[in-house]
Amino acid sequence: MTKKPTKAAAASAAQAGSQMLEAAPASNRATRAAERRAAIVAAAMEEFIARGFAATRLDDIARRAGVAKGTIYLHFKDKESMFEELVRVVIVPVVARLTTLPPPVGSVRDLIEAFAGNFLKEVIGTRRGDLVRLIVAEGPRFPSVADFYYREVVSRGVAAMRALIELGIARGEIREKELARYPQILIAPAMIAVIWQSLFERHAPLDARDMLRVHLDLIFGERRTT
């Protein structure tokens, strides 16, 4: 004989069902909001790259994203906060991967070559490279944007390079100890490649990897072939 549920049990089941129905629409709303936010960020990247930071209007971003201009203000207070989100989504994860160095089982030069090779793969010839060039070009006019990029990207890269240099000095692989004071020297070829590609590539194509090899030869000495 089947036992009938008590009134309390029935009420509890009804309440649980009601909560599930309420949670489902809320989840759907959160998903749609996340999709709109991602569409806005993607549209902002295209507009910033095409027009520059100063000339880009929120109306243009909204049109490209397929949303009302008012929808943008539900997610971002202004262009600066939108650009910061773009850097967080597009560039910061790459920097985090590159600066998470593996255990130093090989030579320091090997580690640096791996870092730089991945940077060239992830940045050169991609939208990330376009964003870096945009910051270089318009950063002086928008200090808050440049400051944010320095904190989130540049400082991490410089710190990782300094750590590698100090390791190389400790191991005797790098003789010039003053290099630790200027880790920017180590990553200079990567920045040169980013800028060169947009300005002069059509006149004089640059082999960024070979330039990196020559640069590291100057620091570590030429590789010995066996």
Side-chain angles (χ1 to χ4, degrees), residues 39 42-44 46-47 50-51 59-67:
E46 296 302 322
E47 290 295 326
R51 303 172 185 270
D59 299 88
D60 300 322
I61 295 173
R63 188 178 304 110
R64 185 183 286 268
V67 301

Side-chain angles (χ1 to χ4, degrees), residues 37-110:
R37 185 180 181 90
I40 292 170
V41 171
M45 179 168 66
E46 296 302 322
E47 290 295 326
F48 285 139
I49 291 173
R51 303 172 185 270
F53 185 82
T56 293
R57 302 180 306 160
L58 293 182
D59 299 88
D60 300 322
I61 295 173
R63 188 178 304 110
R64 185 183 286 268
V67 301
K69 183 178 178 180
T71 302
I72 291 180
Y73 288 109
L74 296 177
H75 298 274
F76 305 101
K77 64 179 182 179
D78 50 29
K79 280 200 305 183
E80 285 79 3
S81 63
M82 191 182 303
F83 191 84
E84 289 178 1
E85 177 72 2
L86 180 57
V87 171
R88 287 193 190 97
V89 171
V90 176
I91 297 181
V92 169
V94 174
V95 174
R97 290 199 302 272
L98 294 181
T99 55
T100 303
L101 300 174
V105 294
S107 69
V108 170
R109 175 167 181 159
D110 289 338

